[in-house]
Amino acid sequence: MIKILVIEDEESVRENILDLLEAENYDTISAANGKMGLQLAFSEAPDLILCDLMMPEVDGYGVLTALREQTPTATIPFIFLTARSARSDFRQGMDLGADDYLTKPFTRAELLNAIASRLSKQAAFKQCINKNPNYETKAVSPKAQKLEMCLRHTLERREFRQFQIYYQPIVDLNSGRIVAAESLLRWQHPELGMVSPTEVIPLAESTGLIIPIGEWILRCVCKQTKLWHDAGFTFLHIAVNLSVCELMQPEFSQKIIKFLLNNNLVADRIGLELTESMIMQNVDCAFQNIQEINSLGVQIAIDDFGTGYSSLLYLKQLPVNTLKIDRYFIQNVASDPQKAAITTALIQMAHNLNLKVIAEGVETEQELEFLRAYNCDAMQGFLFSRPLPASEFEKMLREDKRLVVSC
């Protein structure tokens, strides 16, 4: 049975809502103030929360902020109930992560429709998560358990200063100039030291901890991109890797809008990178959310292309702007006939679909010349630069470092 927590300090309003919900066969719990509401939210793990905005001691904003800071309650659907209808109040609530906003007095139909809508989106999110093979129960090594404990502790204490975002340049092969960068997470733990991304990311995805991490990355990347644009690098496009549980979050597009608006950032300067296998885990969910995000102007790239199993039909239907060819096909491409055939076919196919092509993992001059010969649009890899801290990447921009363009 669906459990709904009602946090409302006016007893008559609270009782009316409880009676209405119980008549619809919802399991209900209630609190007369924000402090009690938080205690119930953490102990009872409700499926949805209805919360009054104006309450003594801890108001609705305070309740929502506390919930969103804790991983177990970070994704519980949250609906504000309030007599205040000012746009600024609405905006503040949405910025904090509210899912909806009902102005009193609301009708029975308005309340039930809002609840049904949020529960439906949350159910779709959970369905997508359950289909993700990363969430299967597996034997966990002591090392992995230690890593998870440290990661949870870091996030619970909101010690995001342990994280850093590195940027790997993406270079246009015609001009040789840096045109974009891929943002990459690094974790420097005080006890564990530098933890490899190949350990952090799968762990975060398998536990759902990637949601608060991903939100922090998006916020930081949007802020940093705006700083670079203000410094004169208005051409710069920054890509962020997205996990399946982030993509399937209810109202994920609203989160993107919030970060863009907060930084007065043009949407097409930010891109999201998705893998083929991630999209195919739930095609219908992925299509809807990708289309919604792309309609904002945010650029969409398919990462590690060629290693998944998506059909060309799906690729044609998706609102994709860029294909990134996986480094497996790029390594020794100039001397491996099979890789050469696949890579040239991928480039031609992408161009026929009006997509830009970026080659990943370029490490040798031979690989670079092959890509130029077959009209690949851009590259990234150690041949030009490793991923760099923001300050070092900015220095590279200011010095206008370029790839040597052959005559």
Side-chain angles (χ1 to χ4, degrees), residues 30 32-33 42 46 56 61 85 121-122 167 178-179 188 195 205 207 214 223 234 243 250 262 292 297 321 364 400 407:
S30 65
N33 57 60
F42 293 132
Y61 295 138
S85 58
K121 291 187 177 182
Q122 189 72 358
Y167 297 86
I178 298 171
V179 292
Q188 180 72 45
V195 184
E205 290 181 345
T207 57
K223 182 178 180 180
T234 55
S243 71
N262 286 349
E292 191 171 339
N321 309 101
T364 69
D400 195 22
C407 300

Side-chain angles (χ1 to χ4, degrees), residues 342-376:
I342 292 171
T343 300
T344 53
L346 290 176
I347 293 171
Q348 183 176 1
M349 177 199 68
H351 285 166
N352 288 340
L353 293 172
N354 295 316
L355 303 178
K356 181 179 178 180
V357 184
I358 300 174
E360 298 183 285
V362 180
E363 297 183 357
T364 69
E365 292 288 348
Q366 292 77 18
E367 293 164 1
L368 175 62
E369 292 309 314
F370 179 93
L371 294 168
R372 278 179 169 149
Y374 288 94
N375 300 315
C376 184

Side-chain angles (χ1 to χ4, degrees), residues 4 11 33 52 63 84 86-87 95 97 124 146 156 159 162 168-169 179 182 217 263 268 306 312 359 364 386 394:
I4 298 179
E11 184 177 1
N33 57 60
D52 187 27
V63 171
R84 299 173 64 173
R87 183 178 179 83
D95 283 350
K146 172 72 172 178
E156 286 169 2
E159 294 179 339
Q162 294 180 14
Q168 185 169 35
V179 292
E182 178 181 354
I217 292 173
N263 292 282
D268 66 5
L312 296 182
T364 69
R386 294 175 177 270
E394 182 173 330

